[in-house]
Amino acid sequence: MTDRRTRVERLPGRITPVRAGEGRSIVLFLLFASLLLVCATVALAADGLPLFADDAVLPLVFELDFGDVCRNPESGECTPAAGVIRVTDAGGRLRELDVSYRTRGRWRRETGHCALPALFLEFDDTQTAGTPFAGQHTLPFTTHCQYHRPEYQAWAILEYLAYRYYTLVTEASIRVRLARIEYRDTGSRRRYTRYGFFSEHFRDVGRRIGAEWLDVDKIDVRQTDPTELAALSVFQFMIGHLDWSAAELHNTTAFRRAEGPIVVVPFDFDYAGLVDTEYAVPPRGLGVHDVRQRRYRGFCREGIDWDALFTRFADLHEPVIDLLREQEGLRSKERSRAEHYLEAFFGTMDSEALRRRQIIEACRPLPD
């Protein structure tokens, strides 16, 4: 006969006695564990995590109708379309997340250049807990653009590496996560797999670095820290990027810490010499005819600690080349070409004469 203080809990294949009071303890323990999980998820989300906490390539299935992707600029604003992302959660279970997507990036959208343009993906917050997308709502996503030519895949990966390189320079950067996506076109039932990458939303960058995102069109660069803006300019020189402006916030955005200087953060590197897309052209008026030709576009300012700045970049030589050599998805010729290009920059870092001629003496006057 069972003691009245003991009830029987049936489990597969056995009967386990549970004494009075133990059940309440188990329930309280489970509730406490669940609360810890929720708190951890909220904390991770506040930092743009867990998506950007890991550098491992994220495997995904993205189910969408390619016919719903807006490619006609004359039709007005592109309206979001519905899709599904399948991803493995922290417990190893396959999860299905509803997403809506819309195109971004004016040039590639308006010219119809891309079979699948860069996108904004919007997630349902109630579905993402426990997945890599926990805490995310809107995410920029850079695609392979064209699926039938392998060089487009390489360009996406090299642009991803450019973002990774800037995170080595400063925490005031946009974090990225590479994904390997199996696309399933629900319209044609066609399937193929390509790389693409997610990047932090500007507001998430601001929260992470403790600064307010300035949603403005231009800034006074005199309100930035001279050495940190020079670091941004040397980085753009390193990757051979000419299509940017700190003052006009072209392919850059700005943040301000409380009672501190404005912080400029770069993005959109597909016109960089490191990436070397076939459609990239240098900006007019620079006298440059090839995007792989480096030109320093920083400003002439007092207070730049050049010795410390050049040491900072020289110390990146090994990690930059290691990231390139370890990066999956590149063919040997693409990897070799990128490594040769980067080595030329570090050759400049090793030469005091080249540093002075190509960077310090090549600075531009501050804008009026």
Side-chain angles (χ1 to χ4, degrees):
M1 183 172 179
T2 305
D3 190 314
R4 269 191 264 181
R5 291 172 301 171
T6 304
R7 64 182 175 83
V8 174
E9 180 179 71
R10 296 189 180 274
L11 296 175
R14 64 178 179 171
I15 297 177
T16 304
V18 180
R19 294 193 177 276
E22 289 181 356
R24 288 193 298 274
S25 298
I26 292 171
V27 170
L28 288 173
F29 173 78
L30 292 174
L31 287 173
F32 181 70
S34 299
L35 181 60
L36 287 177
L37 178 61
V38 170
C39 291
T41 300
V42 171
L44 289 172
D47 283 336
L49 299 173
L51 181 62
F52 301 109
D54 195 340
D55 294 327
V57 177
L58 182 66
L60 298 174
V61 174
F62 189 6
E63 191 173 281
L64 71 163
D65 188 338
F66 278 53
D68 287 342
V69 178
C70 175
R71 298 183 180 84
N72 183 6
E74 296 180 358
S75 65
E77 288 295 323
C78 291
T79 57
V84 170
I85 281 182
R86 293 184 178 87
V87 63
T88 302
D89 68 13
R93 295 164 298 184
L94 187 64
R95 297 275 295 277
E96 187 172 289
L97 309 178
D98 296 322
V99 295
S100 60
Y101 56 92
R102 53 190 170 89
T103 54
R104 67 181 181 89
R106 179 179 175 184
W107 181 82
R108 283 183 280 192
R109 183 184 71 230
E110 291 188 354
T111 61
H113 178 80
C114 291
L116 184 63
L119 302 172
F120 278 117
L121 299 183
E122 296 182 359
F123 293 82
D124 181 344
D125 298 343
T126 65
Q127 297 181 343
T128 57
T131 77
F133 299 102
Q136 301 292 345
H137 178 64
T138 301
L139 279 172
F141 179 61
T142 300
T143 69
H144 55 283
C145 181
Q146 295 283 0
Y147 61 85
H148 60 287
R149 294 174 58 189
E151 58 266 34
Y152 277 83
Q153 180 68 104
W155 296 336
I157 293 172
L158 289 168
E159 185 176 6
Y160 158 79
L161 277 175
Y163 280 94
R164 289 286 307 277
Y165 290 157
Y166 197 58
T167 66
L168 299 176
V169 176
T170 174
E171 68 164 359
S173 53
I174 296 172
R175 294 191 295 192
V176 289
R177 179 75 180 273
L178 191 67
R180 184 169 171 81
I181 309 100
E182 179 188 334
Y183 292 96
R184 298 181 180 178
D185 184 355
T186 57
S188 67
R189 300 197 177 277
R190 185 165 181 251
R191 297 184 181 187
Y192 63 87
T193 301
R194 295 291 186 275
Y195 291 96
F197 63 89
F198 296 95
S199 47
E200 279 183 298
H201 193 283
F202 294 155
R203 290 188 177 87
D204 291 333
V205 175
R207 280 192 286 268
R208 177 170 53 81
I209 68 174
E212 177 190 4
W213 176 45
L214 303 179
D215 190 8
V216 295
D217 295 329
K218 58 184 177 180
I219 61 165
D220 181 356
V221 292
R222 293 170 180 82
Q223 296 182 34
T224 64
D225 179 271
T227 299
E228 289 310 304
L229 189 60
L232 164 60
S233 305
V234 173
F235 165 76
Q236 300 278 32
F237 180 82
M238 180 182 90
I239 65 170
H241 194 207
L242 301 171
D243 189 30
W244 66 281
S245 168
E248 301 295 328
L249 293 182
H250 174 56
N251 288 333
T252 59
T253 192
F255 302 83
R256 187 193 290 276
R257 294 188 173 98
E259 300 180 1
I262 290 176
V263 178
V264 180
V265 177
F267 63 92
D268 203 356
F269 304 120
D270 62 315
Y271 271 47
L274 173 67
V275 182
D276 195 24
T277 59
E278 68 177 12
Y279 55 81
V281 293
R284 294 178 180 176
L286 295 184
V288 174
H289 305 292
D290 185 340
V291 293
R292 287 176 67 86
Q293 181 180 342
R294 288 184 170 93
R295 176 71 61 85
Y296 183 69
R297 305 202 68 205
F299 293 113
C300 306
R301 299 178 70 183
E302 298 292 332
I304 298 175
D305 187 345
W306 287 111
D307 289 339
L309 186 55
F310 291 141
T311 298
R312 184 170 161 187
F313 275 88
D315 289 345
L316 295 180
H317 189 173
E318 184 174 342
V320 162
I321 299 302
D322 284 348
L323 276 178
L324 175 63
R325 290 176 177 174
E326 295 165 3
Q327 180 59 57
E328 67 175 75
L330 294 173
R331 296 174 296 181
S332 60
K333 66 178 182 179
E334 295 155 349
R335 198 185 312 273
S336 177
R337 182 172 168 83
E339 183 170 342
H340 179 77
Y341 189 73
L342 290 167
E343 288 289 3
F345 166 77
F346 289 111
T348 297
M349 290 298 98
D350 289 340
S351 168
E352 182 178 356
L354 290 178
R355 294 196 306 260
R356 176 161 296 279
R357 182 170 72 250
Q358 295 182 16
I359 296 176
I360 298 175
E361 295 175 355
C363 65
R364 298 183 296 151
L366 283 165
D368 296 331

